[in-house]
Amino acid sequence: MHLIFMGTPDYAVPSLHALVEAGHRVSRAYTQPDRPAGRGGKLTASAVKQAALALGIPVEQPLKVRLPEVAEQLRAAAPDAIIVVGYGQIIPRSLIEIPRLGIINVHGSLLPRYRGAAPIQWAVANGETLTGVTTMRIDEGLDTGDILLKAATPIGPDETAVDVWYRLADMGASLLLETLEGLANGTLEPEAQDHAAATLAPILKREFGKVDWSGDAATIYNRYRGFQPWPGAWTTFRGARLQLKELAPAQERPGTGDTAPGTLFVRGKRLYAVAGDGAALELVRLQLEGKAAVSAEAFLNGAHLQAGERLGPEPTKSEDVSPH
């Protein structure tokens, strides 16, 4: 089958490799323009660009996929289908009707749940225990097109979005091949989505990572797992941003006077913070603003923690900060 591939992150790379290994002809790959990355801001190619060039596939990087010249290129190429996996731009109407089999998207959720830019992250952050991948035909809506195939997988209680991301990337690649086979031989029946059951997975923002210590421990932990690697989980300590690099559920409980949300307490050389439901989370690795990430033990050695200190907003003078 003659295909055009559109994708950007490493999530899309297994699908690209699978298409080539299955014998499909991928004549061109479209991906986002090179972006600054790292401390030096050096322009860096996307994972898909790097993979495509290694496979000998020509790469296009239009600033906007809705530019007229993109539609002209695709019409001239006359692909059987266009494959979209995490491209990062809305596909315009001008492209949708070009390929005879349509534009096929590999989406990281069980549609119609978690439509949008960050389905894997939000499924984990919301404490879901089941997710999966869906192949669908793109229409003009936001992940509203007809479903082609689905594959489900459980989410482990301690898995992060990164763990699920890589598993779904491989599952999506397999499901994509199965989808193309079904479309080619006419055995696949597209299914309209139940729009009433839809949920959204909006693009991630830095503020989503800010820990609300008044929430219960399970909710805080789920959001930490879901927002990996970015925006992660962060709070403030003595007025400075504190990134919580590694959290873990804890059986430890604070002393009688340490139950205010965000209060820190120590057991041996281990550090804990109290959540709004009175349960605690262990702070395993932390990174204070402007410093390197360290273990809890190293953090405690440098911080000289005072009794009753809290994470998050500083307590007002009228609040009673009790000792251990």
Side-chain angles (χ1 to χ4, degrees):
M1 195 177 289
H2 174 206
L3 305 171
I4 298 289
F5 190 85
M6 292 184 170
T8 299
D10 53 2
Y11 174 80
V13 171
S15 289
L16 179 58
H17 278 289
L19 293 173
V20 173
E21 291 167 6
H24 294 288
R25 181 167 71 92
V26 182
S27 64
R28 192 171 296 170
Y30 285 76
T31 190
Q32 296 277 33
D34 295 358
R35 306 291 190 197
R39 284 181 173 270
K42 181 181 178 181
L43 285 179
T44 303
S46 73
V48 164
K49 179 179 179 179
Q50 296 177 51
L53 292 177
L55 292 166
I57 300 170
V59 174
E60 302 285 347
Q61 295 177 275
L63 188 61
K64 298 290 184 183
V65 76
R66 61 178 61 254
L67 293 171
E69 52 263 38
V70 176
E72 292 172 9
Q73 287 173 344
L74 293 175
R75 273 192 288 268
D80 296 312
I82 296 174
I83 309 301
V84 176
V85 189
Y87 180 57
Q89 293 186 31
I90 299 295
I91 305 301
R93 180 183 179 88
S94 60
L95 306 187
I96 290 174
E97 297 177 357
I98 291 176
R100 66 180 184 87
L101 293 177
I103 299 183
I104 312 304
N105 178 231
V106 180
H107 186 76
S109 78
L110 297 174
L111 289 172
R113 293 183 61 78
Y114 296 105
R115 294 173 176 172
I120 299 170
Q121 295 92 326
W122 280 108
V124 178
N126 287 339
E128 300 284 0
T129 57
L130 185 72
T131 188
V133 286
T134 303
T135 52
M136 56 161 281
R137 271 203 178 109
I138 285 181
D139 61 14
E140 290 186 83
L142 178 64
D143 300 324
T144 56
D146 288 349
I147 292 170
L148 298 171
L149 289 175
K150 290 183 181 182
T153 184
I155 300 174
D158 295 312
E159 284 193 305
T160 69
V162 175
D163 299 322
V164 180
W165 172 280
Y166 287 111
R167 185 162 72 253
L168 293 189
D170 291 336
M171 288 176 60
S174 298
L175 195 68
L176 175 59
L177 295 183
E178 187 180 347
T179 299
L180 291 175
E181 182 179 356
L183 289 174
N185 60 31
T187 59
L188 204 54
E189 290 292 333
E191 175 188 347
Q193 293 190 42
D194 178 3
H195 301 304
T199 59
L200 296 179
I203 192 168
L204 297 179
K205 300 178 181 179
R206 182 177 295 277
E207 56 262 34
F208 293 161
K210 185 176 182 180
V211 176
D212 177 5
W213 292 105
S214 68
D216 62 83
T219 296
I220 294 170
Y221 183 59
N222 288 339
R223 289 176 72 89
Y224 152 77
R225 294 189 301 122
F227 297 149
Q228 297 299 323
W230 189 89
W234 59 272
T235 185
T236 55
F237 176 70
R238 298 175 181 169
R241 183 187 295 267
L242 181 67
Q243 198 78 26
L244 306 177
K245 305 296 285 186
E246 185 178 348
L247 289 180
Q251 297 301 316
E252 295 286 346
R253 289 296 181 266
T256 305
D258 297 336
T259 56
T263 299
L264 294 166
F265 67 96
V266 179
R267 295 289 184 271
K269 296 180 180 180
R270 302 172 80 165
L271 178 62
Y272 302 87
V274 183
D277 59 351
L281 290 163
E282 183 177 1
L283 314 185
V284 182
R285 289 183 70 248
L286 311 91
Q287 184 173 16
L288 198 58
E289 188 175 354
K291 298 186 178 181
V294 296
S295 67
E297 182 179 354
F299 177 82
L300 288 169
N301 287 339
H304 304 293
L305 195 68
Q306 301 298 306
E309 281 200 88
R310 299 187 202 175
L311 299 175
E314 298 293 334
T316 63
K317 292 180 180 180
S318 61
E319 289 182 296
D320 179 22
V321 181
S322 303
H324 288 298

